[in-house]
């Protein structure tokens, strides 16, 4: 039986392929910008060819994941205010298998408990309009959103004088939840916690 690649190996393969595509070592030459040969001869299409080559390769990796049941889950560890949490997240270049979504759902409550502890006393904002605008909210609003979503994830921006903790509350397929293309079946709401008086930057 041939070797089945691990999640970590697939991530590394995708990383290498992405670099090759960016360097122009892989192009999907039949890709055209407008579809009109007269117009396309005047438009540089190499960027689109690089992007399409990578997207096709990534789709093949996703098919491999499904066929060989290779998880898209990676485990993250975050420490905020001397508190540490280890939690699952789907790698941004992979897809979640049905079992992966169950792992995310099972981790939701511990992630929310951690969020409550480390954001105590911070200002909370709900982002909208593709994170271009923010509405200040209260903890009860976060609890309402959490009740109607399936899983959660975290992102932290921190330096010596700034802290922002972003809680992603999602539903459906994680690989589609960050983008509007998955709605209404997949999607996310983002809650930003910042120190009092600060505004979100993430």
């Amino acid at each position: 039986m041939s070797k089945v690649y691990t999640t970590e190996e697939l991530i590394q393969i995708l990383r290498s392929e992405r670099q090759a595509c960016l360097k122009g070592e892989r192009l999907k030459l039949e890709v055209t910008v407008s579809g009109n040969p007269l117009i396309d001869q005047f438009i540089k299409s190499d960027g689109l060819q690089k992007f399409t080559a990578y997207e096709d390769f990534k789709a093949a990796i996703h098919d491999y994941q499904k066929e060989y049941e290779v998880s898209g889950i990676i485990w993250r560890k975050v420490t905020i205010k001397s508190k540490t949490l280890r939690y699952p997240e789907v790698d941004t270049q992979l897809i979640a298998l049905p079992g992966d979504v169950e792992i995310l759902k099972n981790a939701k409550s511990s992630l929310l408990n951690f969020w409550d502890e480390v954001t105590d006393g911070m200002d909370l904002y709900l982002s909208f309009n593709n994170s271009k605008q923010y509405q200040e909210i209260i903890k009860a609003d976060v609890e309402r959103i959490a009740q109607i979503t399936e899983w959660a994830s975290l992102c932290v921006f921190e330096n010596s004088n700034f802290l922002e903790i972003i809680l992603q509350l999602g539903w459906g397929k994680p690989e589609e939840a960050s983008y509007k293309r998955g709605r209404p079946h997949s999607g996310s709401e983002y809650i930003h916690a910042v120190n009092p008086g600060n505004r979100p930057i993430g």
Side-chain angles (χ1 to χ4, degrees):
M1 180 176 159
S2 61
K3 173 189 185 300
V4 174
Y5 291 104
T6 66
T7 303
E8 292 74 20
E9 288 170 331
L10 291 183
I11 292 168
Q12 187 55 51
I13 289 167
L14 280 165
R15 188 176 294 131
S16 298
E17 185 66 16
R18 184 170 186 268
Q19 287 304 312
C21 290
L22 288 173
K23 291 177 186 172
E25 295 169 7
R26 313 267 197 286
L27 296 174
K28 185 160 183 170
L29 297 177
E30 66 269 18
V31 172
T32 58
V33 176
S34 72
N36 182 325
L38 187 62
I39 295 171
D40 285 341
Q41 67 181 332
F42 299 107
I43 299 172
K44 288 185 77 172
S45 61
D46 61 331
L48 186 60
Q49 291 170 341
K50 292 174 188 177
F51 174 78
T52 306
Y54 178 69
E55 288 300 305
D56 286 353
F57 186 83
K58 190 166 72 168
I61 292 291
H62 295 170
D63 290 342
Y64 181 91
Q65 277 187 264
K66 291 174 194 169
E67 183 178 349
Y68 293 99
E69 297 184 4
V70 181
S71 171
I73 292 274
I74 52 175
W75 286 88
R76 299 269 188 219
K77 184 174 162 186
V78 63
T79 301
I80 305 169
K81 300 179 181 177
S82 302
K83 296 181 186 339
T84 300
L85 176 72
R86 186 173 176 270
Y87 65 97
E89 180 178 279
V90 176
D91 183 81
T92 56
Q93 300 302 304
L94 298 177
I95 60 169
L97 301 178
D100 294 342
V101 175
E102 288 307 310
I103 291 169
L104 295 177
K105 288 178 181 180
N106 291 334
K108 180 182 169 187
S109 63
S110 63
L111 203 144
L112 289 174
N113 290 337
F114 178 80
W115 161 267
D116 281 341
E117 286 181 34
V118 298
T119 61
D120 189 42
M122 297 178 80
D123 290 346
L124 305 176
Y125 291 87
L126 174 66
S127 68
F128 58 99
N129 193 15
N130 293 323
S131 294
K132 293 184 182 100
Q133 295 177 286
Y134 302 93
Q135 172 67 50
E136 192 162 6
I137 60 173
I138 59 174
K139 201 165 248 186
D141 297 321
V142 179
E143 290 166 3
R144 278 193 290 279
I145 296 168
Q147 286 175 0
I148 59 170
T149 54
E150 297 175 326
W151 45 266
S153 190
L154 283 175
C155 182
V156 181
F157 296 105
E158 184 175 20
N159 62 35
S160 58
N161 56 7
F162 183 80
L163 174 62
E164 180 174 359
I165 309 165
I166 303 171
L167 175 67
Q168 177 188 15
L169 292 169
W171 65 92
K173 296 179 179 179
E175 64 271 15
E176 295 179 359
S178 298
Y179 309 102
K180 300 294 180 198
R181 70 172 190 259
R183 289 186 183 248
H185 305 294
S186 299
S188 293
E189 299 294 348
Y190 293 91
I191 315 296
H192 301 249
V194 292
N195 288 323
N198 287 336
R199 296 280 296 176
I201 61 168

